[in-house]
Amino acid sequence: MITDEYISGFFDADGSISMGRASKNDPFKTIKIDFTNTQLSILLEIKQYLLEKYGIPMAISTKPAKSENHQVSYTLSASSNQRCFELCKIIKSRHPKKRHRINTILKYHNIVTKRNGKYSPREIQRKLAYERLFFWSTFQ
């Protein structure tokens, strides 16, 4: 049975949280959260749970096997900032790097991200500092 705790543990084992530009012209990075596994059924259950309980839609993509010794894998993804922010409120990661990234998003994302996309020079600096903090890690 899928629970919030199950999703948190699954994320620590088979999940990732990152930031990247949606296109080369984007001035700022977008949050992306992925769950990857070879068992499609598990990802479908997580997808259904998150949609039904929290209204968070996610997409599943297929990654072909890299060699004949590998299996096809599947990735459950959320790539909009708002969906990822909502997921961050649910996931209680115990992984130090992932926990740092989630906490950074929860603490700063809504403060430094403007809905209209218009930033003053000071706001641009704060947004870029947030992106640098997201990637900062004492484990590097």
Side-chain angles (χ1 to χ4, degrees):
M1 178 167 177
I2 304 295
T3 64
D4 290 359
E5 293 79 15
Y6 179 88
I7 290 172
S8 295
F10 194 90
F11 176 76
D12 279 349
D14 290 333
S16 67
I17 182 167
S18 62
M19 273 191 189
R21 286 185 174 72
S23 75
K24 64 180 180 178
N25 297 329
D26 288 340
F28 304 115
K29 295 177 180 173
T30 302
I31 307 164
K32 184 172 183 185
I33 294 178
D34 291 328
F35 299 85
T36 301
N37 202 280
T38 58
Q39 298 297 314
L40 178 59
S41 60
I42 295 170
L43 296 176
L44 287 169
E45 286 184 50
I46 292 171
K47 178 182 179 183
Q48 182 178 352
Y49 175 85
L50 291 171
L51 184 60
E52 289 177 2
K53 184 168 183 185
Y54 296 103
I56 301 172
M58 297 180 74
I60 294 181
S61 59
T62 304
K63 292 184 178 184
K66 294 181 181 181
S67 73
E68 59 186 53
N69 295 336
H70 291 109
Q71 295 180 358
V72 172
S73 65
Y74 305 93
T75 302
L76 176 64
S77 301
S79 56
S80 85
N81 280 333
Q82 193 56 41
R83 288 178 190 154
C84 291
F85 185 82
E86 293 302 316
L87 276 172
C88 285
K89 292 194 288 188
I90 299 163
I91 298 170
K92 307 297 184 225
S93 178
R94 298 177 71 103
H95 185 284
K97 187 175 185 179
K98 293 174 185 180
R99 184 174 56 235
H100 163 76
R101 289 181 174 188
I102 288 170
N103 289 341
T104 299
I105 289 166
L106 291 174
K107 187 171 183 178
Y108 298 109
H109 183 78
N110 286 343
I111 295 169
V112 301
T113 303
K114 307 272 277 195
R115 302 266 310 158
N116 65 7
K118 296 179 182 179
Y119 293 85
S120 69
R122 172 94 171 112
E123 291 168 330
I124 290 171
Q125 293 304 314
R126 292 181 71 195
K127 178 78 170 172
L128 294 173
Y130 155 69
E131 290 177 6
R132 285 190 304 274
L133 178 61
F134 176 88
F135 289 106
W136 178 85
S137 174
T138 57
F139 306 102
Q140 294 176 348

